[in-house]
């Protein structure tokens, strides 16, 4: 079956997960509101962005963005703090089922065991944003991207390192740039659905907490 993580393990505040002698304690941090003028959500590395939205849109609006940080403990001491998941909350209701977020033309039936569709990270960052914002950001030259989103000294704490900015003035569409777990790689996004089938949230799993 295609890879589907146990998202409950990384979306529960204070949860402690043990893997191979390493303890992960997960805590949420509210980053702010993402402006979705079109309701078409894109998951990507915003510094090398593609602008193809996931299948399934939401109502235009402003939605909370939440980073789930894993405190990694080795031998009883805190080792590192890494963002293990990025969640765009659409409705404040329980998730009844999760499915892989897909781009047009992708089919989970084509995946092998433990495979998944995801976006490639080449700059160590990720985001969940509106298609309008990502298309606008793609038009920026490198100097502008560097000035706005790339600090001269990246803070050690992953939450302190989050950078956000409005990238499309007409609509107010904005982008939050967050560290993608351990860095470069390929990361899947999942869609949570309510019991009646509505989209509750989008969650990108940066796989800091390894699966069982």
């Amino acid at each position: 079956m295609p890879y589907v993580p146990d998202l409950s393990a990384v979306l529960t505040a204070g949860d402690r997960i043990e893997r191979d002698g390493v303890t992960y304690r997960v805590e949420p941090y509210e980053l702010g509101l993402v402006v979705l003028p079109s309701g078409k959500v894109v998951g990507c590395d915003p510094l090398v962005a593609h602008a193809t939205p996931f299948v399934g849109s939401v109502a235009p609006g402003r939605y909370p963005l939440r980073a789930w940080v894993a405190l990694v403990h080795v031998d009883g001491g805190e080792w590192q703090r890494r963002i293990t998941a990025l969640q765009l909350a659409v409705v404040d209701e329980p998730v009844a089922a999760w499915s892989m977020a897909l781009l047009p033309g992708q089919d989970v039936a084509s995946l092998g065991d433990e495979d998944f569709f995801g976006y490639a990270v080449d700059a160590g960052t990720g985001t969940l944003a509106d298609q309008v914002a990502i298309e606008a950001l793609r038009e920026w030259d490198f100097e502008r991207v560097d000035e706005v989103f790339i600090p001269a000294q990246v803070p050690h704490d992953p939450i302190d390192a989050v950078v956000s900015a409005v990238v499309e003035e007409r609509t107010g569409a904005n982008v939050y740039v967050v560290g993608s777990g351990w860095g470069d790689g390929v990361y899947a996004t999942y869609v949570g659905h309510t019991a009646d089938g509505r989209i509750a949230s989008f969650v990108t799993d940066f796989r800091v907490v390894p699966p069982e």
Side-chain angles (χ1 to χ4, degrees), residues 111-144:
L111 296 174
D113 290 350
E114 302 301 311
D115 290 342
F116 58 88
F117 291 116
Y119 65 79
V121 168
D122 295 313
T125 66
T127 197
L128 289 167
D130 194 278
Q131 181 182 17
V132 169
I134 300 302
E135 287 180 343
L137 185 59
R138 288 178 65 187
E139 298 301 315
W140 288 20
D141 58 30
F142 175 78
E143 288 74 16
R144 188 178 182 188

Side-chain angles (χ1 to χ4, degrees), residues 23-34:
T23 301
Y24 304 84
R25 183 165 63 83
V26 181
E27 297 292 353
Y29 291 84
E30 303 297 332
L31 301 181
L33 297 175
V34 176

Side-chain angles (χ1 to χ4, degrees), residues 33-37 62 133 165-175:
L33 297 175
V34 176
V35 178
L36 302 183
R62 299 159 63 88
V166 173
V167 296
E168 212 277 332
E169 294 291 342
R170 182 182 62 85
T171 62
N174 58 347
V175 171

Side-chain angles (χ1 to χ4, degrees), residues 13-90:
D15 209 16
R16 299 179 70 89
I17 304 129
E18 301 281 346
R19 298 282 191 272
D20 298 324
V22 180
T23 301
Y24 304 84
R25 183 165 63 83
V26 181
E27 297 292 353
Y29 291 84
E30 303 297 332
L31 301 181
L33 297 175
V34 176
V35 178
L36 302 183
S38 74
K40 297 177 180 179
V41 176
V42 175
C44 65
D45 180 338
L47 303 186
V48 287
H50 73 77
T52 305
F54 296 123
V55 175
S57 59
V58 300
R62 299 159 63 88
Y63 297 98
L65 188 68
R66 184 176 300 123
W68 292 84
V69 174
L71 286 68
V72 185
H73 296 265
V74 178
D75 296 328
E78 184 175 315
W79 175 45
Q80 289 197 22
R81 290 161 52 87
R82 297 277 176 165
I83 294 176
T84 190
L86 184 65
Q87 180 181 26
L88 182 64
V90 179

